[in-house]
Amino acid sequence: MTKPSKPKEQKVKKVVLDIGGMSCVTCSQTIEKRLSKLKGVTRATVNFAAEKAIVDYDPKTLNPKTIEDAIVEVGYKVVHESVFLQITGMTCATCAQTIEKALNEKEGIYKATVNFALETATIEYNPEQITIAGIRKVIQDVGYDTIEPEEGLEDREQKGREKSIRVLKYKFIFSGAINIPVVFYSYWALLPFTLPTLPIDNFIPLLLFFLATPVHFIVGHDFFVGAYKALRNKNPNMDVLVAIGTSAAYFYSVAVTFTGSGSLYYTTAVSLMTFLILGRLLEALAKGRTSAAIKKLMGLRAKTARVVRDGKEMEIPTEDVQVGDVVVVRPGEKIPVDGTVVEGYSGVDEKVITGESIPVEKKAGDEVVGATMNKTGMLKFKATKVGADTVLAQIIKLVEDALGSKAPIQTLVDAVAARFVPAVMVIATLSFLVWYFVGMGFVFALTVFIAVLIIACPCAMGLATPTAIMVGVGKGAENGILIKSGEALETVHKLQAIVFDKTGTLTKGEPEVTDILTFTTSMSNPLPRQKVGKFSEEQLLQLAAVAEKNSEHPLGEAIVKRAIEKEIEVADPEFFNALPGHGVEVKYNGMEILLGNRKLMKKNKIDIAFLEGRMKDLEEDGKTVMLVAVDKKAAGIIAVADTLMEYSAEAVKTLQQMGLEVIMLTGDNERTAKAIARQVNMNQVLADVLPGDKANEIKTLQKEGKIVAMVGDGINDAPALAQADVGIALGSGTDVAMETGDIVLVKDDLRDVVTSIQLSRATMTKIKQGLFWAFAYNTALIPVAAGILYPLVAILLDPVFAAAAMATSSVSVVANASLLKRFKPKMQRTTKKT
């Protein structure tokens, strides 16, 4: 399957909006359709489970206000944040006007009001576009300052969800409390005792009317509003079915109450509403649990930071830290922002970012990441990334974007759901007519009509995919795997071939000294003593390091680095001369040292014939051989190679066991490539491939009908990553590859490629399970509610049973998706390095 070519890059902006008022998946479709019709919108995605809209638009044609107006126009609301700030430095009313004007002109701020007398500002804003720190900066840029509000910024999503759950709880308690006397008085004639003498015929119907009416109109308010919006937009949803079903029972009972003929259905109306609200409450609770991973990420941020300014330590809000600030972190404190250590030594727990549980040692020159935990010592570091630029902020943004995307399977579900409600209304109406005209009477036919409307549940179908993706993306982020879209998450489980770049992916991309051979290297197989200088390994390494100290060649740097690691003194040579294509010659401590290749030795007439066997063995292993000669005699061999990443072989083996075709793609020569391939037990190698031709190799595999993933470091592999069906980029620790790849692995651990596939398979399993049960539920129970099994299973015609079954359907689908939180990589993690 060939991935379609990407369109030319356009200058588009993205706005993320929190949406309120959606009650089912049809609502999200309504908003999507309206936004897609706006001129200038290039992409609009609305996620019902996450309650977000992500819109890409052309700023020359459109602005966020128009986008929000379109959402409001179809009957929904955009949730705004507001903040109250105390302002200092104002001296007159003009100051207030200056601040107000600057704030209102800032993108992301809807409305700002500044009160000079009270020295306050009330700002309504979109937190997805601008932070409180950004608002303060606008005020500071026009010459004023703010006082920190008493309350810190909380998770707005969690606050909104908690409020919604609280309202649903109150409604359920109210409805449930009224349901008890309604049921009691509806069936009082069946009680084994008699009630006090009352004008029963008049009293009971009126009492039930007064009890049921507030439940119908107050508890059911949201259903009726939702139904009105849906019908106004000609896109009927679940609310329409509920509104028609409950209203049929309620208004029929009202007519009976005041005409005196017929049966009362107040019990049905009130019980239906009670079960429906309970279903929504349980669904909201379950949906809240599915987004726990994202909430956890957002809650990782440190609220304050201790910085050194003007020689003094002071505690400030994290959002006020600026690039270049020196930040002090004591043991047991969170690191507030990203930076580079300038002083101190400590172990830092980076599990929240990389998923690794073992603390990483940090010293001067090392990078630290915001939200990680300082464990043992005190650290001082210079802030390099703050606010939206930090690794954690980038991760949260990636996760939120992924939640706003749709998996391809959702397109099919949306198409079915869009036609589902009209189909149910037709089935309900036909069922009513059939039972009425076969002589079962109006009441029976009405009961069937209500049962069919209530038991139908498009919500279960609509929730199956987004809730599973929400949990899957969040779980990936917890493990240092950033999945950038629902499409990528779905495609990964279908992969047939995995292509790995060599340098920087399978290997570290940094040459290391692998072998030092002198006549004392191996007593069982020494080099001929009479033909080489008598130096130990340490002495040979020291001489080679002195020779390469002034060289800029990567191989020379590897030698010097190894010497420093072994705490060997590397002095300056007395004479240095680089010989391009040959090596270097230096003079040091009275010795003439040559370090280079065969050409250099041959040019200086140094006998190396007896070393050829050793040299070829090393070269067959993909190593670069450098010869060392001292005073015209061979002194030994130093071999340098690009070494394997940790766990490369382990990851490749596991992928092969999973039935995937594993291929190496590299620009290196075939001998070196095959040497690395042997070390990881990889059979297929594509060598001598220029960077520009790597994408063509991916195309060739795709033309063979294979679904291909490309794994690379996100630098020179960008075209191949883009061409692959799934591009997997290594994030190089703290450098999150934001633009390259569909999946980003935060830590350079190739086992996470395996974990990505396992997570995708687990997520798709949950999606398919949810969709299967949702479709099976509707396929089985709608005909039953229509009376196909009557009179064998008469209870299934009861609308109250239908409401309970409908609620169970939605809750079970969401709860099943939330089980993904238990996902753990099946690959055995070892601490042994490859």
Side-chain angles (χ1 to χ4, degrees):
M1 182 176 75
T2 304
K3 192 174 184 178
S5 59
K6 295 187 177 180
K8 291 183 179 180
E9 187 178 350
Q10 297 177 348
K11 290 184 178 179
V12 298
K13 281 193 173 183
K14 177 183 290 183
V15 63
V16 181
L17 302 170
D18 293 328
I19 307 296
M22 292 193 294
S23 59
C24 72
V25 68
T26 315
C27 300
S28 61
Q29 293 173 2
T30 300
I31 300 170
E32 265 186 24
K33 286 179 182 177
R34 180 67 186 92
L35 292 177
S36 298
K37 290 178 181 178
L38 289 177
K39 187 178 180 182
V41 170
T42 57
R43 181 181 73 106
T45 307
V46 181
N47 188 310
F48 168 52
E51 296 179 331
K52 285 184 182 295
I54 297 182
V55 186
D56 293 339
Y57 67 98
D58 180 358
K60 294 180 180 177
T61 311
L62 201 59
N63 59 58
K65 178 69 168 57
T66 308
I67 294 170
E68 293 194 20
D69 288 344
I71 294 171
V72 174
E73 181 186 311
V74 292
Y76 302 90
K77 62 181 179 180
V78 179
V79 181
H80 296 167
E81 277 289 324
S82 61
V83 66
F84 182 81
L85 296 176
Q86 197 79 31
I87 299 179
T88 61
M90 291 193 294
T91 57
C92 67
T94 307
C95 299
Q97 293 171 4
T98 301
I99 299 169
E100 200 170 279
K101 182 182 177 184
L103 288 170
N104 284 316
E105 288 176 352
K106 185 68 176 177
E107 187 174 355
I109 294 178
Y110 302 114
K111 184 180 179 182
T113 305
V114 179
N115 189 310
F116 169 60
L118 297 176
E119 295 185 321
T120 59
T122 304
I123 303 116
E124 191 177 337
Y125 68 103
N126 181 355
E128 302 285 357
Q129 290 178 282
I130 188 168
T131 63
I132 291 181
I135 294 172
R136 287 201 199 96
K137 190 173 186 305
V138 173
I139 296 171
Q140 290 166 356
D141 287 346
V142 292
Y144 305 90
D145 213 338
T146 61
I147 298 173
E148 176 69 12
E150 291 182 8
E151 293 184 3
L153 179 63
E154 293 182 81
D155 179 4
R156 61 190 179 278
E157 260 188 277
Q158 186 172 354
K159 285 167 61 183
R161 201 177 292 277
E162 285 175 354
K163 181 181 178 182
S164 175
I165 289 172
R166 191 162 55 247
V167 170
L168 286 171
K169 280 181 180 177
Y170 291 151
K171 285 186 175 182
F172 172 66
I173 293 169
F174 175 70
S175 182
I178 289 181
N179 195 46
I180 295 170
V182 168
V183 172
F184 178 82
Y185 281 108
S186 295
Y187 298 102
W188 67 272
L190 302 177
L191 297 175
F193 54 86
T194 58
L195 291 171
T197 303
L198 290 169
I200 296 299
D201 291 340
N202 297 323
F203 173 74
I204 293 298
L206 286 172
L207 175 63
L208 293 177
F209 168 73
F210 284 114
L211 288 172
T213 298
V215 172
H216 187 72
F217 289 104
I218 297 175
V219 177
H221 175 266
D222 289 343
F223 291 108
F224 299 127
V225 171
Y228 167 73
K229 293 175 185 174
L231 291 173
R232 190 183 70 181
N233 294 308
K234 299 177 182 177
N235 201 17
N237 63 6
M238 186 63 207
D239 288 337
V240 173
L241 302 181
V242 171
I244 294 173
T246 57
S247 294
Y250 172 77
F251 286 111
Y252 176 77
S253 300
V254 171
V256 171
T257 299
F258 292 101
T259 61
S261 61
S263 301
L264 295 175
Y265 274 81
Y266 287 120
T267 305
T268 299
V270 174
S271 297
L272 277 177
M273 202 58 74
T274 303
F275 273 108
L276 291 169
I277 285 294
L278 175 61
R280 289 229 167 148
L281 173 60
L282 294 175
E283 186 181 305
L285 291 169
K287 281 164 67 178
R289 287 194 293 271
T290 63
S291 61
I294 291 89
K295 290 179 187 174
K296 183 178 177 183
L297 280 174
M298 298 180 77
L300 291 174
R301 295 168 290 196
K303 290 183 172 57
T304 60
R306 191 177 293 103
V307 300
V308 179
R309 289 181 180 170
D310 300 325
K312 295 180 180 179
E313 284 188 18
M314 60 178 67
E315 196 167 290
I316 63 173
T318 299
E319 52 262 33
D320 287 347
V321 178
Q322 298 176 2
V323 173
D325 276 342
V326 174
V327 183
V328 180
V329 186
R330 295 169 182 166
E333 292 181 342
K334 279 186 180 179
I335 293 171
V337 296
D338 300 357
T340 304
V341 177
V342 293
E343 186 182 325
Y345 179 85
S346 183
V348 175
D349 183 353
E350 296 185 337
K351 184 178 181 180
V352 296
I353 300 294
T354 65
E356 291 292 345
S357 57
I358 301 173
V360 180
E361 294 180 355
K362 299 291 181 180
K363 59 184 183 301
D366 290 338
E367 292 183 339
V368 290
V369 184
T372 57
M373 182 67 72
N374 183 30
K375 285 290 190 181
T376 52
M378 189 174 80
L379 290 174
K380 284 187 179 181
F381 68 91
K382 183 174 287 187
T384 55
K385 292 179 181 178
V386 300
D389 295 328
T390 62
V391 169
L392 180 65
Q394 292 179 57
I395 290 174
I396 291 172
K397 184 178 182 298
L398 274 180
V399 170
E400 287 185 333
D401 286 352
L403 295 183
S405 66
K406 286 191 176 183
I409 195 171
Q410 183 68 24
T411 305
L412 171 64
V413 176
D414 287 349
V416 173
R419 293 165 177 78
F420 184 80
V421 174
V424 170
M425 293 175 70
V426 170
I427 293 171
T429 303
L430 289 175
S431 301
F432 172 84
L433 294 172
V434 168
W435 286 112
Y436 181 74
F437 285 111
V438 297
M440 293 301 293
F442 177 81
V443 173
F444 183 87
L446 179 65
T447 302
V448 171
F449 175 77
I450 296 170
V452 172
L453 290 178
I454 297 301
I455 208 164
C457 190
C459 291
M461 290 184 280
L463 286 168
T465 301
T467 48
I469 286 178
M470 183 183 290
V471 182
V473 168
K475 201 66 188 175
E478 278 185 12
N479 287 278
I481 300 167
L482 307 181
I483 302 163
K484 295 167 75 171
S485 69
E487 181 181 1
L489 186 61
E490 179 177 337
T491 305
V492 168
H493 92 286
K494 298 184 287 189
L495 289 176
Q496 297 165 300
I498 306 273
V499 179
F500 285 93
D501 174 49
K502 181 182 79 69
T503 307
T505 302
L506 285 170
T507 66
K508 294 179 180 177
E510 297 177 1
E512 291 183 3
V513 174
T514 57
D515 301 88
I516 303 174
L517 301 180
T518 71
F519 75 95
T520 60
T521 297
S522 171
M523 298 308 296
S524 61
N525 189 20
L527 297 178
R529 294 191 181 192
Q530 70 278 14
K531 293 192 177 183
V532 297
K534 297 181 181 180
F535 297 96
S536 66
E537 289 182 26
E538 188 173 300
Q539 290 171 329
L540 187 70
L541 179 60
Q542 181 183 36
L543 294 175
V546 168
E548 290 286 3
K549 185 174 183 180
N550 295 322
S551 170
E552 294 180 355
H553 196 283
L555 301 181
E557 290 176 359
I559 292 174
V560 175
K561 181 180 177 182
R562 174 58 67 87
I564 292 172
E565 286 173 354
K566 288 185 169 290
E567 299 182 351
I568 295 172
E569 182 183 356
V570 183
D572 289 318
E574 296 149 14
F575 167 80
F576 172 85
N577 183 32
L579 303 168
H582 292 74
V584 297
E585 60 178 349
V586 301
K587 289 184 179 177
Y588 168 69
N589 205 18
M591 294 179 284
E592 182 182 335
I593 305 169
L594 296 173
L595 187 148
N597 55 22
R598 292 177 176 85
K599 294 178 184 177
L600 180 63
M601 299 300 142
K602 186 177 181 181
K603 181 180 178 181
N604 286 274
K605 298 179 181 178
I606 296 172
D607 181 13
I608 57 168
F610 65 97
L611 298 176
E612 278 297 333
R614 294 290 182 85
M615 292 166 66
K616 285 182 180 178
D617 289 342
L618 292 170
E619 288 171 340
E620 284 297 322
D621 289 335
K623 299 172 182 177
T624 301
V625 174
M626 288 182 282
L627 297 157
V628 183
V630 178
D631 295 333
K632 301 297 182 181
K633 279 190 176 182
I637 297 171
I638 293 181
V640 176
D642 187 2
T643 56
L644 285 178
M645 281 279 197
E646 296 174 344
Y647 317 115
S648 289
E650 190 178 345
V652 168
K653 180 181 178 182
T654 306
L655 290 168
Q656 290 169 337
Q657 290 172 344
M658 292 169 72
L660 292 161
E661 186 178 349
V662 185
I663 304 164
M664 180 195 293
L665 180 63
T666 179
D668 257 357
N669 63 74
E670 189 171 354
R671 185 178 65 185
T672 302
K674 286 187 174 179
I676 295 295
R678 282 196 298 272
Q679 293 179 49
V680 294
N681 296 314
M682 193 182 293
N683 299 322
Q684 297 188 61
V685 178
L686 299 173
D688 294 311
V689 181
L690 296 173
D693 293 332
K694 287 184 177 181
N696 291 330
E697 295 292 344
I698 300 293
K699 279 184 185 177
T700 301
L701 292 168
Q702 290 171 328
K703 286 176 182 176
E704 295 172 8
K706 295 172 184 174
I707 299 174
V708 184
M710 172 71 192
V711 185
D713 57 16
I715 301 170
N716 60 349
D717 302 314
L721 287 167
Q723 176 61 41
D725 297 288
V726 178
I728 303 177
L730 272 66
S732 303
T734 59
D735 181 19
V736 180
M738 293 292 294
E739 300 302 327
T740 309
D742 303 299
I743 295 175
V744 178
L745 308 181
V746 175
K747 53 186 185 292
D748 294 335
D749 189 338
L750 292 184
R751 294 176 300 179
D752 286 339
V753 176
V754 178
T755 303
S756 300
I757 297 171
Q758 292 173 347
L759 180 59
S760 173
R761 290 178 177 179
T763 303
M764 289 308 300
T765 297
K766 289 300 176 190
I767 289 174
K768 289 174 182 177
Q769 287 173 353
L771 290 175
F772 171 80
W773 287 114
F775 280 111
Y777 161 87
N778 284 293
T779 303
L781 292 189
I782 289 178
V784 171
I788 196 171
L789 297 180
Y790 181 81
L792 296 176
V793 196
I795 189 175
L796 296 180
L797 302 183
D798 188 338
V800 176
F801 170 83
M806 189 207 74
T808 303
S809 172
S810 290
V811 173
S812 62
V813 166
V814 177
N816 183 55
S818 69
L819 293 176
L820 263 176
K821 290 192 294 183
R822 300 179 183 178
F823 170 84
K824 290 182 180 178
K826 295 179 183 177
M827 186 172 181
Q828 182 64 39
R829 297 265 175 166
T830 65
T831 55
K832 184 179 178 181
K833 296 183 180 181
T834 303

